[in-house]
Amino acid sequence: MLDRIREGSQSIVIKALLVLIALTFALAGIGGYITNQPEPAVAKVNGEEITRVEFDRAVENERSRQQQQLGDFYATLAADPAFNQRLRSQVLNDLVNQKVVELYARDAGLRVSDEQVKAAIRNIAAFQVAGQFDNQTYQMTLNGLGYTPDGFAELMRRDLARTQLLQAIVETQFALPTEASAVQQLLNQQRSGAYATFELANYLSTVEVTDEEIAQWYDANQSRFNVPEQVKVEFVALDADTLAESIEIDETVVREWFEQNRAGYETPDRYRFSHILIEGDDEAARAEAQEVLTKLTEGADFAELAAEYSDDIFTAETGGDLEFLEKGLMDPEFDEAAFALQEVGDISGVVSTSFGYHVIKLTDIEKGSSTSYEEVRDEIVSEMREERVKQAYYELQQKASELAFDVPDTLQAVADETGLTVRTTSWFNRNNAPTALNNPAALQQVFNQDFIAEGLNSDLIETSDTQAVIVRVLDYQAASVKPLDEVRAQVLDNVRTEKAQAAAREDADALAAALRAGETSDVQMAAIDSVDRRNTELPRAVVQSLFEQAVPSDEGVQVAVTELNSGALAVVQLTSATVGEVDEAMQAQLTDQLVNSFTQQGYGAFVEALRAEADVELLLNANTDQASQE
């Protein structure tokens, strides 16, 4: 019966619920549960497909998750094509990982009981109202998605089996108290020693560089001076948002539209029902339904009889409550009997439908309401403006495209007829294109050699849902290498720096060798007294070198040479290490962190092993839409 809910699924409430469901599930979410029709596959795992619909939905869900997490900064990231490519690749990889785990769980014979499936469905937030499972929401949502309760429950069963496997992996991980103590002792360890720095400035003034050295360095490092191919173009930019400013909506038109669509702003009376369902179409079922009706007429409690007799497992536990229903959501026979009831508390006779026999009770009536013109005027104006902008933008696209084709060797004709502005760029390459052209489709066009050779206007290039450009290449420069004369000062600086670093390293190595040999040195070393890993007063490279060295023996000396961020060199000597203290208050938290780390490592190794054994075919490369295979 629960799959017979129809028109109500198109309401705004249901559409909002669909968004909630998408956010409830990780990545693919409920998308994996509702796809019934054959769809193009983006990957195959051991012959089983991951559909394009699943992939697209997973990408959108991940974008929504990151947008919620990153806020306004997400818009900056999303404008970068490389970011979107990485996101799509990661989503595809995650879907493949989910599939190999799901198949392993199935092959391992993991099973989930009906009660577990039922409990999981009840706990899905999108099916709840005020924290409680809501049967009407559940029915209407599934029907709106085109899915039956049985089919949805079966796919939930598969997902729960996969989750069961993952829980087994998670719950086998542990960390001993001694491990947490050892980690604390390492993290809180303190070390002492000394260090000396060899600043490049002390060597640069003594360095001499010959013309031959400059030429040799330039020849060996020409890749540093590559100049990528560049273009200079003219273009016109079309932007739907700019059209919105010129769109005016007549108040008379708005009111006329409201009057013609007034029914859409009126809510009819709502009726709430409970029912008791006896499944079957034989006399025994009818007799049982009649027995229920007789007990009700004798004063029995409806909710108690629903719990005892009803075959509708989801409503039996709530007294048979179906929440508020509208006509057309249920079977015609059910609707006819239910909406014939007049007063709260009225009970129908035995009603026969395709699902069996019902006894129906009217439990509440909620009076309808209507929305005034003033309340919805701004919404209507906004929708009208949006539609007119879309139409105006479409017409502008058509007109600009035709003019660019008719007069192919200039964009001035487009500008004269449409009011758009022809903009001319300076030289740019693929990495520093103007904002309007910083789009994969636009860049592919302007750096296409055939297009460059033609020197004609491009077709309309859509760079987003509301923006497009038409471009023409004015000039082109092939990739090249800057001549030595142009970069001589830069080369000289690099050669001088490298020679200074070599001289500094020679002195640093000499000091390190002397310290290891126990010899004295004139170099002044700064003392390091009991610092920990979090020290910020010393150069970071010095602290890192100090803790990378092995603890010296009683007679040994530990010395290392490291490079600082400035390019200077430092000689770091470790003389002693003190075991860190264990903070008992941190033990529990650190143990949890270790368990989490071990779990991630274990799960990663498990999935990696499954993928190594699986036959994975990527039919759609997330970046290039090309097929590949592992």
Side-chain angles (χ1 to χ4, degrees), residues 495-509:
V495 174
R496 286 169 55 85
T497 299
E498 288 186 4
K499 294 188 73 172
Q501 285 180 324
R505 181 167 292 278
E506 184 177 343
D507 288 348
D509 288 341

Side-chain angles (χ1 to χ4, degrees), residues 146-219:
Y147 213 83
T148 66
D150 288 343
F152 180 75
E154 180 57 32
L155 290 177
M156 277 291 293
R157 191 186 310 277
R158 288 167 44 196
D159 187 68
L160 289 172
R162 181 172 62 87
T163 303
Q164 190 179 76
L165 173 64
L166 299 182
Q167 287 177 337
I169 296 175
V170 170
E171 292 172 0
T172 57
Q173 300 295 339
F174 62 91
L176 297 173
T178 53
E179 291 179 292
S181 297
V183 170
Q184 279 211 69
Q185 289 174 346
L186 285 173
L187 292 175
N188 298 330
Q189 188 183 81
Q190 293 186 332
R191 295 192 170 195
S192 300
Y195 78 102
T197 58
F198 294 83
E199 299 292 343
L200 295 187
N202 298 330
Y203 296 89
L204 286 172
S205 59
T206 63
V207 169
E208 294 183 0
V209 180
T210 66
D211 289 343
E212 183 180 359
E213 289 174 324
I214 292 175
Q216 288 176 348
W217 195 96
Y218 172 78
D219 291 339

Side-chain angles (χ1 to χ4, degrees), residues 302-474:
F302 194 96
E304 292 179 359
L305 291 181
E308 180 180 353
Y309 285 94
S310 183
D311 291 324
D312 187 339
I313 60 173
F314 285 106
T315 65
E317 296 180 3
T318 58
D321 185 22
L322 290 171
E323 296 288 343
F324 287 96
L325 298 179
E326 298 177 5
K327 288 184 179 180
L329 295 180
M330 313 298 280
D331 272 10
E333 299 84 359
F334 186 100
D335 277 357
E336 183 179 356
F339 288 97
L341 301 176
Q342 298 295 318
E343 302 292 335
V344 173
D346 286 354
I347 297 175
S348 72
V350 174
V351 180
S352 175
T353 73
S354 60
F355 293 95
Y357 296 98
H358 306 256
V359 177
I360 308 166
K361 180 181 179 180
L362 176 61
T363 59
D364 194 9
I365 299 175
E366 186 180 272
K367 292 299 182 181
S369 61
S370 61
T371 304
S372 68
Y373 172 75
E374 288 72 19
E375 291 177 290
V376 297
R377 177 202 172 276
D378 291 346
E379 178 184 342
I380 296 173
V381 169
S382 177
E383 291 178 355
M384 282 187 170
R385 177 172 283 108
E386 183 177 350
E387 288 301 319
R388 293 191 182 184
V389 167
K390 288 181 180 178
Q391 180 62 31
Y393 183 56
Y394 172 76
E395 292 173 355
L396 177 62
Q397 286 182 317
Q398 296 301 307
K399 188 173 184 179
S401 296
E402 292 172 2
L403 290 167
F405 178 80
D406 292 341
V407 187
D409 57 352
T410 179
L411 288 173
Q412 193 56 49
V414 176
D416 293 341
E417 294 293 327
T418 63
L420 297 173
T421 301
V422 178
R423 288 188 264 174
T424 302
T425 72
S426 56
W427 290 104
F428 69 89
N429 58 52
R430 294 177 185 268
N431 298 320
N432 64 354
T435 301
L437 302 177
N438 190 16
N439 174 273
L443 293 176
Q444 182 179 4
Q445 182 71 43
V446 298
F447 285 100
N448 180 285
Q449 291 298 320
D450 292 337
F451 176 68
I452 292 171
E454 289 176 350
L456 302 179
N457 298 332
S458 71
D459 294 331
L460 185 82
I461 304 170
E462 293 188 293
T463 56
S464 73
D465 291 340
T466 59
Q467 295 178 321
V469 293
I470 301 175
V471 300
R472 187 171 73 89
V473 175
L474 300 176

Side-chain angles (χ1 to χ4, degrees), residues 93-325:
N93 183 67
D94 289 342
L95 289 176
V96 171
N97 289 345
Q98 289 181 9
K99 180 63 72 173
V100 296
V101 174
E102 176 187 322
L103 296 180
Y104 180 86
R106 184 189 66 188
D107 295 342
L110 295 181
R111 298 293 183 267
V112 178
S113 69
D114 292 342
E115 287 302 316
Q116 287 175 298
V117 173
K118 182 178 174 182
I121 292 175
R122 286 183 170 278
N123 286 330
I124 295 176
F127 296 152
Q128 295 178 351
V129 175
Q132 299 294 321
F133 177 80
D134 182 76
N135 187 63
Q136 183 184 21
T137 299
Y138 169 74
Q139 296 177 42
M140 294 178 66
T141 301
L142 290 195
N143 185 262
L145 296 170
Y147 213 83
T148 66
D150 288 343
F152 180 75
E154 180 57 32
L155 290 177
M156 277 291 293
R157 191 186 310 277
R158 288 167 44 196
D159 187 68
L160 289 172
R162 181 172 62 87
T163 303
Q164 190 179 76
L165 173 64
L166 299 182
Q167 287 177 337
I169 296 175
V170 170
E171 292 172 0
T172 57
Q173 300 295 339
F174 62 91
L176 297 173
T178 53
E179 291 179 292
S181 297
V183 170
Q184 279 211 69
Q185 289 174 346
L186 285 173
L187 292 175
N188 298 330
Q189 188 183 81
Q190 293 186 332
R191 295 192 170 195
S192 300
Y195 78 102
T197 58
F198 294 83
E199 299 292 343
L200 295 187
N202 298 330
Y203 296 89
L204 286 172
S205 59
T206 63
V207 169
E208 294 183 0
V209 180
T210 66
D211 289 343
E212 183 180 359
E213 289 174 324
I214 292 175
Q216 288 176 348
W217 195 96
Y218 172 78
D219 291 339
N221 296 274
Q222 285 196 5
S223 60
R224 296 192 183 191
F225 307 108
N226 286 340
V227 179
E229 60 178 342
Q230 299 182 88
V231 292
K232 184 184 292 185
V233 307
E234 67 174 10
F235 70 96
V236 291
L238 293 71
D239 190 339
D241 292 338
T242 60
L243 297 176
E245 301 171 1
S246 61
I247 300 295
E248 295 184 1
I249 307 297
D250 188 274
E251 189 72 21
T252 303
V253 174
V254 179
R255 183 170 289 278
E256 287 178 356
W257 190 94
F258 174 79
E259 294 298 335
Q260 294 171 1
N261 296 272
R262 180 182 290 273
Y265 298 97
E266 295 178 346
T267 303
D269 294 345
R270 299 174 69 212
Y271 298 86
R272 186 170 189 162
F273 301 99
S274 293
H275 81 136
I276 298 172
L277 169 65
I278 307 299
E279 292 183 341
D281 57 2
D282 53 17
E283 285 303 319
R286 175 181 283 277
E288 185 176 355
Q290 187 61 50
E291 177 185 346
V292 170
L293 180 61
T294 300
K295 290 185 177 182
L296 288 171
T297 58
E298 293 174 352
D301 183 74
F302 194 96
E304 292 179 359
L305 291 181
E308 180 180 353
Y309 285 94
S310 183
D311 291 324
D312 187 339
I313 60 173
F314 285 106
T315 65
E317 296 180 3
T318 58
D321 185 22
L322 290 171
E323 296 288 343
F324 287 96
L325 298 179

